[in-house]
Amino acid sequence: MASSTLICDTEPWKELQAHVEDNNKTHLRDLMNDDKRCQSMMVEFDGILLDYSRQRANLDTLNKLFNLAEAAHVKEKIIRMFNGEHINSTENRSVLHVALRAPRDAVINSDGKNVVPEVWQVLDKIRDFSERVRSGAWVGDTGKTLKDVVAIGIGGSFLGPLFVHTALQTEVEAIECARGRELRFLANVDPIDVARNITGLNPETTLVVVVSKTFTTAETMLNARTLREWISSALGPQAVAKHMVAVSTNLKLVEQFGIDPNNAFAFWDWVGGRYSVCSAVGVLPLSLQYGFSIVEKFLKGASSVDQHFYSAPFEKNIPVILGLLSVWNVSFLGYPARAILPYSQALEKLAPHIQQVSMESNGKGVSIDGVPLPYQTGEIDFGEPGTNGQHSFYQLIHQGRVIPCDFIGVVKSQQPIYLKDEVVSNHDELMSNFFAQPDALAYGKTPEQLQKENVPEHLISHKTFSGNRPSLSILLPSLNAYNIGQLLAIYEHRVAVQGFVWSINSFDQWGVELGKSLATKVRKQLHASRKKGEPVEGFNFSTKTLITRYLEQASADVPSDPSTRLPNI
């Protein structure tokens, strides 16, 4: 499959470039008057309804995009991914997050070996361990039940599990399963994050889950050592074995840290961090909080979309359609950003998670073969739940830059409210905005309409909305564990489709490494200056000035030989 030929050199790409001029002649107001077109741009699968009729595209656009997918060998690349081929070529790895939620009897091979039995071996171990902790069969060092969990991890070891946890917190069944328990996530190495996470917790009733594949991630391991000290100073060093477990593959370092290797939960090189929420990275802390049965429903929802992605024809394939539309918006219409707008407060951590999944995956400047790209890839993802976002950045979306929007709505609220004598329920009020905003973006408002409304002449230009701003709507039947799994998998596979078309590797992240290596140099300098009084050397003038100022002004707070100090809240 490897080829130095770029997708932009193919005929379908050139046809789409030529198509842009024709497309620009038609406003969304006119496109939305074509009921047949709108009907053809709705796709249903397993309770989910996707409506992409408010994209700046017609049926010819879609046909050209499907031709582009064929030229990019998208179907073959999907099959290669599911077959466990090493499509992450720069790291020589399979990409098999789909195996993490596959049914127990599935066969998914990596390097000639079916990995599904290994996955279920870990899942069964998580089920057993979480049930022992939740039932009180596994207790802390002083014999008390461990009712609180702090999961330490960063990036993919944090954002995905946090998204799922936040979405489940207000779901009725999950609430009952989590009653009396608390789950927190410690990610930032900033001591303030440590302080916030241990405030109100008792070391006697707290279990810490350290998530690091190599057990060497700088921020994660410093936070782990900090909470180890928090536990040891209160209960003694022997308590670590009862109060700390690991998600890692480096059993030697796990044991050296003081955690029993039997209490380490494995995951694999073929799981990228940002795709790891369905591994022990997310399943362990979520099972401790909600019970394995809830998390299993989440895995089944993701698996449902996996099978849809693998088998559905592209014309009815939700992730494929979404991925191709993103390519259209970024590479042909020139829109660099995308707003993720869930009309459910439970999905408030969806956008931060998809920021990483999308921007770390597709923020690349060379092809998978190392050829510099003459076109832009990736999107700037951001978002906020509606209606909060409407009172924040929607002004820019309506009258400033054009930013394609994903509107995500839910038919049944997790927590419905009905007030007597109100015109509509709280959820109806929320969903009124979900239905209205896409049309406002698409249609806008013309000066002629404003004149008919007797708007003063000096305000007409201020109140004119150009419209023709693309969006799509995803309507979920409810927001339970299963639906949350579906939503996660849709976005994961959408990102993969974009990468497949752009001919980039969506599964490595070399850009993350540069800052880490430079930080190592600074770390050594800070240590030498604090411990030995050495001057700041080997940096440019700007960095030297900043580090020197930092050392000078912070010296009063950091004794030359400080004793252990934990947050004071």
Side-chain angles (χ1 to χ4, degrees):
M1 296 292 296
S3 171
S4 58
T5 301
L6 297 177
I7 189 65
C8 61
D9 295 327
T10 65
E11 198 59 34
W13 183 282
K14 294 174 182 177
E15 288 181 2
L16 278 162
Q17 284 181 316
H19 178 65
V20 170
E21 187 175 348
D22 286 338
N23 184 269
N24 287 340
K25 297 175 182 177
T26 309
H27 196 286
L28 269 172
R29 294 186 197 108
D30 302 312
L31 292 174
M32 293 301 294
N33 286 333
D34 185 344
D35 289 349
K36 184 178 179 181
R37 168 192 168 275
C38 293
Q39 184 179 17
S40 71
M41 291 185 172
M42 293 187 179
V43 180
E44 290 190 64
F45 169 72
D46 199 11
I48 300 169
L49 175 61
L50 166 65
D51 174 7
Y52 60 97
S53 61
R54 294 175 188 81
Q55 290 287 304
R56 290 188 54 206
N58 56 33
L59 299 183
D60 190 29
T61 315
L62 268 294
N63 288 331
K64 292 182 187 301
L65 285 170
F66 293 136
N67 290 339
L68 183 68
E70 185 176 351
H73 306 289
V74 170
K75 183 61 179 178
E76 292 94 322
K77 290 173 182 177
I78 293 171
I79 293 171
R80 291 179 67 213
M81 183 176 84
F82 276 77
N83 285 348
E85 294 187 37
H86 287 206
I87 64 170
N88 179 356
S89 56
T90 60
E91 297 178 304
N92 195 26
R93 293 173 180 171
S94 303
V95 175
L96 283 179
H97 43 283
V98 295
L100 299 173
R101 54 259 190 153
R104 194 183 290 267
D105 59 355
V107 176
I108 300 178
N109 291 312
S110 178
D111 298 320
K113 180 183 179 182
N114 182 13
V115 300
V116 175
E118 290 182 28
V119 169
W120 275 95
Q121 186 177 1
V122 174
L123 290 175
D124 289 337
K125 182 177 179 181
I126 292 172
R127 184 202 305 264
D128 175 67
F129 179 75
S130 60
E131 287 179 355
R132 283 190 290 149
V133 171
R134 289 169 57 82
S135 68
W138 174 295
V139 294
D141 188 64
T142 61
K144 292 187 177 180
T145 299
L146 299 173
K147 63 182 183 63
D148 304 313
V149 173
V150 178
I152 303 176
I154 197 164
S157 300
F158 155 64
L159 290 165
L162 178 64
F163 150 60
V164 179
H165 170 54
T166 306
L168 285 173
Q169 275 184 309
T170 43
E171 199 273 327
V172 173
E173 184 181 10
I175 288 173
E176 285 303 312
C177 294
R179 199 169 295 282
R181 308 193 61 82
E182 184 162 3
L183 172 60
R184 299 182 183 183
F185 292 90
L186 171 56
N188 201 332
V189 74
D190 187 336
I192 291 172
D193 205 17
V194 176
R196 288 177 174 175
N197 271 279
I198 64 176
T199 297
L201 296 187
N202 180 355
E204 290 184 281
T205 60
T206 300
L207 178 68
V208 176
V209 179
V210 184
V211 183
S212 174
K213 182 183 291 185
T214 62
F215 235 60
T216 59
T217 307
E219 302 96 327
T220 297
M221 296 319 299
L222 181 52
N223 278 336
R225 292 191 294 274
T226 302
L227 287 213
R228 180 179 64 184
E229 181 62 31
W230 177 66
I231 291 167
S232 298
S233 62
L235 307 175
Q238 81 291 337
V240 171
K242 280 289 190 179
H243 290 263
M244 299 188 81
V245 298
V247 177
S248 179
T249 55
N250 195 333
L251 297 184
K252 182 179 180 182
L253 289 185
V254 167
E255 187 170 20
Q256 289 177 5
F257 186 89
I259 295 175
D260 186 340
N262 291 320
N263 298 328
F265 298 81
F267 59 118
W268 302 269
D269 281 343
W270 41 258
V271 182
R274 55 194 175 277
Y275 297 98
S276 66
V277 63
C278 293
S279 73
V281 168
V283 173
L284 177 58
L286 292 167
S287 294
L288 287 164
Q289 177 70 4
Y290 298 104
F292 186 82
S293 63
I294 292 286
V295 181
E296 191 171 17
K297 293 176 183 178
F298 162 72
L299 297 176
K300 287 180 178 178
S303 180
S304 168
V305 170
D306 292 343
Q307 295 309 307
H308 167 71
F309 177 53
Y310 182 80
S311 61
F314 283 2
E315 294 79 5
K316 297 293 182 182
N317 194 310
I318 290 176
V320 168
I321 291 169
L322 294 179
L324 292 176
L325 289 171
S326 285
V327 170
W328 170 242
N329 285 326
V330 172
S331 298
F332 297 96
L333 299 184
Y335 303 139
R338 174 180 62 190
I340 299 170
L341 309 171
Y343 277 66
S344 169
Q345 193 65 30
L347 295 176
E348 64 179 304
K349 295 299 181 182
L350 173 64
H353 176 48
I354 300 309
Q355 274 182 336
Q356 187 195 15
V357 173
S358 174
M359 294 169 75
E360 191 169 276
S361 294
N362 290 339
K364 308 290 168 63
V366 298
S367 76
I368 198 166
D369 302 307
V371 179
L373 297 176
Y375 49 86
Q376 296 293 323
T377 66
E379 292 153 311
I380 303 166
D381 286 284
F382 70 98
E384 186 74 17
T387 56
N388 292 1
Q390 294 176 197
H391 295 266
S392 174
F393 51 80
Y394 276 37
Q395 169 63 42
L396 184 146
I397 290 175
H398 279 290
Q399 288 186 303
R401 294 177 181 269
V402 177
I403 298 175
C405 297
D406 292 0
F407 289 94
I408 303 168
V410 181
V411 173
K412 296 180 181 179
S413 173
Q414 289 179 335
Q415 296 291 328
I417 295 174
Y418 300 94
L419 298 181
K420 185 180 179 182
D421 298 328
E422 288 289 338
V423 175
V424 292
S425 70
N426 296 47
H427 190 62
D428 280 352
E429 177 66 29
L430 174 73
M431 292 301 289
S432 296
N433 289 273
F434 167 80
F435 296 119
Q437 288 291 336
D439 276 345
L441 288 167
Y443 288 89
K445 203 156 194 179
T446 66
E448 292 75 19
Q449 288 174 307
L450 294 167
Q451 288 169 350
K452 290 179 180 178
E453 295 174 5
N454 297 319
V455 172
E457 191 66 32
H458 70 282
L459 289 179
I460 285 180
S461 62
H462 296 280
K463 292 191 173 188
T464 297
F465 295 82
S466 64
N468 210 30
R469 293 165 183 256
S471 69
L472 58 86
S473 301
I474 299 173
L475 189 61
L476 303 173
S478 59
L479 198 59
N480 54 30
Y482 185 87
N483 305 135
I484 295 165
Q486 290 178 305
L487 191 60
L488 173 78
I490 285 172
Y491 273 91
E492 286 179 343
H493 296 319
R494 173 190 198 165
V495 166
V497 170
Q498 292 173 252
F500 291 157
V501 173
W502 283 322
S503 304
I504 60 178
N505 186 355
S506 300
F507 307 105
D508 62 10
Q509 57 282 329
W510 300 107
V512 178
E513 306 302 322
L514 177 60
K516 290 181 180 179
S517 61
L518 294 176
T520 299
K521 181 182 177 182
V522 177
R523 189 183 301 117
K524 290 178 179 177
Q525 178 66 65
L526 293 176
H527 176 78
S529 297
R530 292 222 192 269
K531 297 294 183 181
K532 305 172 186 176
E534 294 183 6
V536 179
E537 293 178 339
F539 298 89
N540 61 53
F541 178 83
S542 176
T543 304
K544 178 180 178 179
T545 303
L546 290 169
I547 294 175
T548 301
R549 174 68 63 88
Y550 172 72
L551 287 165
E552 288 173 351
Q553 296 195 351
S555 59
D557 296 327
V558 184
S560 58
D561 188 21
S563 58
T564 296
R565 178 193 299 174
L566 293 171
N568 180 28
I569 290 184

